[in-house]
Amino acid sequence: MKEQKSVNSAMQRGDIAFWGLMVVALLLFCIDSWRPLEQMDDAYISFQYARNLVAGHGLVFNIGERVEGFTNLLWTLLIALGMKVGFGAPEVCRVLSFVASASLLVATGIYSALFLPHSRRWLAGFAPLLLLASNAFACWTASGLETALFGLFILLALHALLRERIFLVVCWCVLATLTRPEGALYAAVILGLDWLLKNYRLPNKSARAVFINTYPIFVYLAFVAGYTLWRLWYYGDPLPNTFYAKAGGIPLYRGLLYVYNFVIDGPGWLAIPALIAALKLPAYRLPFICILITVLYSIAVGGDAFRAGRFLLPILPIAIAGAVAGIGYMLTVKRTYGFVLALLLPLTAAWSLYGPLIGEDYRNSAKLPFPALSKRISVQNHAGFGGTAATKRLLRGIIASVPQVKQVACIGIGQFAFFSNGIYVLDLVGLVDKHIAHSRKVVDGKVFLLPGHQRTDADYVLNRRPDIIVIPRKDEVLPLNLPSVYDLWKNPRLEQLYYWDDSIPAYVSRALQSQ
């Protein structure tokens, strides 16, 4: 009886420690999120689609032109819903980001606890703190994009699978796919491997038993078929236009560098205990495969145009859960080794927050004196090229110099389209332009191949006769030249049809001079 009371008392203390650490993580997150931060330009692409939808123009970027230039349908619809009831898009997005990010912290702790015996559940309380310390989490929860919500749906799908609630697994996979195209990849791994394992273990492989195990896949495939038919009907393509704009043409080394920069920033320290969990805990093997598939996918597509591992953030909670589980296992079988491995948890957090500024992610960071979080401040800065202030200043210059402007060609299209409120925007890299997205033109010269920014077709752009082309002045010294910029510079028609206006600054059509 005394032993039972002692066990119950230890379990209660473990629960108190678990929820106490969870509350600490949430409080720290609230403090970190209290100050509104600038949202990145790509978030404004979703804002533009949402605004046009609410205004009755349909789910379009430019009015009257159906192009699926977003990769986050559910996120865009949620923003549109908030705008419909009277709130501004940036404010709606901040609330959505806060709720999704806080939920991801809680879900990380709860999911991690599933791999631990009750007596060691307190270890899972460190999981949300580890996630909170991550620069990838700090970056993408403040960006205005859907990354945290997508990661939450993936984690909830794995949680439901571990609890053998297959219907919920399908629901979370559907929501993940509506949030990001990569949701289909995770669904294939989660549902596909679960199907293989269940059928392999069947003592009597009757047709009925196989069908029962297969129906979740049928349900998900039915959703994919319906979603694809809607895309074909509404946009004329089976895949988002962004897929065609981003796929191919990126050297393999960029994908390897992308993964390296993410791993070296802190998550790499979790590899050993997570691998122990994958080897010793059968329940963690499928989640570990999700990690490996995501890494291979990120390498294959050349990574992302942005820093701090946006494609890899969804697997970070999974890796943290595995690391906690591996440490819990070692504390049971080899307590000394378990305590040594446990030191990796504070090391990971400290390295993420105060480690050396390694990799391209932080090469422009100012190293502030301790205890300022230099890396965190850097990754949460999404203003880029001056942010909204610079965009509004550019628009004022355009309206003052060329009041009759109707069409502008540029690369940073999100904020420009949202704040111009009516000017047609021609996307030089093809995210919202079908012709450029399908272009396979290769530009000779010193160009920088950045994922999602490698497409170009200067002849097509000049044939469209935009009133203004917002690119740097020809032969200006830049840290990098995108193919779309270099392609226009090399085309002799640029200076025949346009002149440089320092007051904007941009190229202005000579045809406007006669008007």
Side-chain angles (χ1 to χ4, degrees), residues 452-464:
H453 297 72
Q454 70 268 37
R455 300 284 180 253
T456 182
D457 193 336
D459 286 323
Y460 166 78
V461 171
L462 296 172
N463 288 340
R464 292 285 301 269

Side-chain angles (χ1 to χ4, degrees), residues 64-123:
E65 189 175 72
R66 292 189 179 186
V67 182
E68 190 179 0
F70 58 88
T71 52
N72 52 7
L73 176 61
L74 180 60
W75 187 253
T76 301
L77 293 178
L78 290 172
I79 293 170
L81 180 62
M83 296 178 72
K84 183 69 174 177
V85 298
F87 296 100
E91 290 71 31
V92 174
C93 193
R94 286 191 184 97
V95 172
L96 289 174
S97 296
F98 179 85
V99 172
S101 303
S103 300
L104 182 58
L105 287 173
V106 174
T108 300
I110 293 174
Y111 181 67
S112 301
L114 294 179
F115 296 99
L116 296 166
H118 209 110
S119 60
R120 301 203 185 280
R121 195 181 181 192
W122 57 271
L123 266 173

